[in-house]
Amino acid sequence: MPELPEVEITARLLSAALEGAVVDSARAPGLATMQTFKPPLDALAGATLTGVGRRGKMLLVGFAGGGLVTDEDPEGRATLLLHLMSAGRLQLFEKRATMKDRTARIVIRLTGGADGFDGERELRLKEFGTRQSAWGRLLRRADLEADERLRTLGPEAWPDPPDLSILPPRRTLRGALRDQRVVAGIGRRWADEVLWEARIAPLRRAGDLDDDERAALREAIRVRLDEAIVGYADTLKLPLKDKMPVPERVHGHAGEPCPRCGDTILAVHYESDEMAYCPTCQTGGKPYKDRRFSRLLKD
Ligand SMILES: [Zn+2]
């Protein structure tokens, strides 16, 4: 699942390549993917891509001109807001998607771009699996900030994480950190990583932390997301792989030794979620073994 670092890297690389590219055509083979109809996606034809940004775990692709121009909006500025959900990716291809490509959800054909590419490319929102949960909304600039998906986002987790006294006291730390209305950008992977970094038990109640622990957790968010983005982003190039390499230490590493203390990393499962932690570093040596704990992952 792409979280803040992966989405930030995607935005930077695509923006550097595609700024100034002109849209030839835009369509949505994923019938359920577009959640807005005005302006229609095909109004992007003739528009210039003005940049790719990020808010929380969402991508914002800016456009201006072309079919977006109206009497009320002579500059024709609009943003395609995209949420990749768990299995979506926004990637750039030099080959056209075939009609048979079942992963294509939104296809934007472009010419040119800031990287000097000479020819036609496709910016494609693709999604693995048969479920269509990734979504897009094409919003005029005047309507963007009022969109409830942006309006309800909490403060950005990076580059300057908020004071964590904002975490709802009765929620588990892992649940509160992943709630986009509380802090924007962190999901399962980075919640596990920052709690491990701060040596704090993931299922503690947010209100139980003392000031030092809250400060340590905030610093862990800053340090680990910095590590995953700053410097690292410069080592990656387009085309991005389906599974972007990320510097994980515990999430997805259950059964392996903790890189800090050597104890075995454990995991708690709930439905498709897997929470990884180190018992020595985080839970006073005690594993979460009771079924009660897996239910807490719902929070
Ligand atoms: Zn450890």
Side-chain angles (χ1 to χ4, degrees):
M1 149 116 42
E3 299 178 22
L4 191 155
E6 300 87 320
V7 175
E8 174 73 21
I9 290 167
T10 301
R12 287 185 184 192
L13 291 174
L14 289 176
S15 207
L18 291 178
E19 220 184 289
V22 175
V23 177
D24 301 328
S25 67
R27 61 190 179 92
L31 294 178
T33 305
M34 284 304 292
Q35 295 185 342
T36 54
F37 302 96
K38 223 183 137 191
L41 192 63
D42 59 15
L44 292 181
T48 300
L49 192 151
T50 56
V52 184
R54 175 197 63 79
R55 207 80 81 72
K57 295 191 274 187
M58 289 178 275
L59 285 157
L60 287 79
V61 190
F63 296 95
L68 294 166
V69 172
T70 62
D71 288 344
E72 301 86 69
D73 184 2
E75 288 184 47
R77 287 193 173 267
T79 297
L80 182 61
L81 180 65
L82 297 171
H83 198 308
L84 305 173
M85 299 300 288
S86 59
R89 301 288 183 270
L90 185 65
Q91 293 173 335
L92 190 58
F93 296 89
E94 291 178 14
K95 268 195 193 147
R96 291 181 173 207
T98 65
M99 284 302 182
K100 281 189 199 150
D101 183 352
R102 290 175 170 274
T103 66
R105 300 287 187 259
I106 296 175
V107 177
I108 300 172
R109 215 163 270 162
L110 302 139
T111 304
D115 62 357
F117 182 80
D118 182 21
E120 187 192 75
R121 289 183 284 193
E122 271 186 9
L123 181 62
R124 207 180 300 159
L125 173 68
K126 63 178 202 176
E127 190 173 27
F128 302 99
T130 50
R131 273 185 64 201
Q132 297 198 16
S133 52
W135 54 258
R137 296 179 179 191
L138 184 59
L139 301 160
R140 290 207 175 264
R141 185 192 239 182
D143 302 327
L144 181 67
E145 295 302 326
D147 185 81
E148 42 101 19
R149 296 304 296 248
L150 288 181
R151 199 167 36 81
T152 57
L153 275 186
E156 289 285 330
W158 181 87
D160 183 26
D163 182 328
L164 296 183
S165 54
I166 61 167
L167 299 182
R170 298 178 60 81
R171 306 275 308 271
T172 65
L173 285 167
R174 190 169 186 270
L177 286 173
R178 290 170 49 201
D179 186 337
Q180 302 305 299
R181 294 162 300 180
V182 177
V183 187
I186 296 175
R188 294 167 181 177
R189 171 187 299 129
W190 291 100
D192 285 357
E193 293 294 323
V194 300
L195 286 160
W196 174 85
E197 184 73 31
R199 303 176 194 238
I200 293 174
L203 299 181
R204 279 177 68 185
R205 300 286 171 190
D208 293 344
L209 292 192
D210 64 28
D211 290 349
D212 288 348
E213 289 172 315
R214 257 199 305 276
L217 185 54
R218 178 172 181 269
E219 182 61 7
I221 295 173
R222 196 188 60 74
V223 166
R224 291 303 305 282
L225 297 188
D226 255 0
E227 178 197 64
I229 298 166
V230 181
Y232 186 61
D234 302 332
T235 68
L236 298 176
K237 284 199 194 91
L238 294 174
L240 290 167
K241 294 202 172 71
D242 291 342
K243 189 173 175 359
M244 196 186 291
V246 282
E248 287 172 333
R249 309 236 165 91
V250 285
H251 187 83
H253 292 272
E256 297 172 26
C258 168
R260 188 161 50 205
C261 75
D263 193 3
T264 303
I265 304 281
L266 300 180
V268 177
H269 298 89
Y270 181 82
E271 294 178 351
S272 64
D273 190 7
E274 177 177 297
M275 177 187 82
Y277 66 101
C278 169
T280 296
C281 293
Q282 293 175 267
T283 58
K286 276 187 262 167
Y288 290 125
K289 52 186 172 185
D290 185 338
R291 283 192 62 78
R292 199 158 56 89
F293 288 114
S294 43
R295 283 199 296 274
L296 279 175
L297 261 54
K298 259 196 306 187
D299 174 46

